[in-house]
């Protein structure tokens, strides 16, 4: 049985592979789950700060505020990627600065 933390890290790895296939570069995963973004990536000259959610998990207002604050400070794009248990991926953009 896989715990929730491990399941989330597996989902992040799958999202990293998805981003690589779509031309993102400089992709880095955060160390643990303490920061506002799970993945930092770049496409063209645009920096993306991404929070990954898996299954029925949803992003909280506090997480959105922290992610937007980070993206604004670093002049990037805040986004949430939700990966379903069936492997479908949905983007939700929270702002661009």
């Amino acid at each position: 049985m896989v715990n929730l933390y491990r399941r989330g890290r597996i989902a992040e790895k799958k999202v990293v592979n998805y981003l690589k296939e779509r031309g993102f570069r400089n992709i880095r995963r955060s160390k643990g789950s303490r920061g506002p973004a799970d993945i930092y990536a770049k496409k063209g000259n645009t920096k993306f700060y991404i929070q990954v959610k898996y299954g029925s998990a949803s992003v909280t207002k506090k997480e959105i505020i922290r992610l937007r604050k980070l993206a604004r400070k670093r002049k990037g794009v805040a986004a949430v990627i939700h990966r379903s248990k069936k492997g479908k991926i949905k983007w939700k953009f929270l702002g661009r600065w």
Side-chain angles (χ1 to χ4, degrees), residues 54-66:
Y54 173 74
S56 62
S58 61
V59 64
T60 66
K61 286 184 181 182
K62 184 177 178 182
E63 288 174 321
I64 290 171
I65 290 167
R66 289 178 68 205

Side-chain angles (χ1 to χ4, degrees), residues 31-89:
K31 296 178 181 168
S33 58
R34 303 225 182 250
D38 294 324
I39 298 173
Y40 305 90
K42 204 170 183 186
K43 188 165 188 179
N45 290 329
T46 306
K47 297 176 258 182
F48 289 82
Y49 301 94
I50 302 167
Q51 177 68 243
V52 177
K53 292 296 179 183
Y54 173 74
S56 62
S58 61
V59 64
T60 66
K61 286 184 181 182
K62 184 177 178 182
E63 288 174 321
I64 290 171
I65 290 167
R66 289 178 68 205
L67 191 60
R68 282 181 170 166
K69 187 176 179 180
L70 174 69
R72 187 177 296 122
K73 180 179 177 183
R74 297 185 183 176
K75 298 182 174 110
V77 176
V80 174
I81 294 180
H82 186 267
R83 186 173 187 284
S84 72
K85 292 182 180 180
K86 294 181 180 180
K88 272 187 139 181
I89 291 183

Side-chain angles (χ1 to χ4, degrees), residues 7-20 29 39 52 83:
R7 189 177 298 159
R9 294 298 280 183
I10 291 168
E12 288 172 20
K13 181 63 177 163
K14 290 181 180 183
V15 168
V16 166
N17 292 337
Y18 165 84
L19 293 173
K20 284 179 183 177
R29 291 170 61 196
I39 298 173
V52 177
R83 186 173 187 284

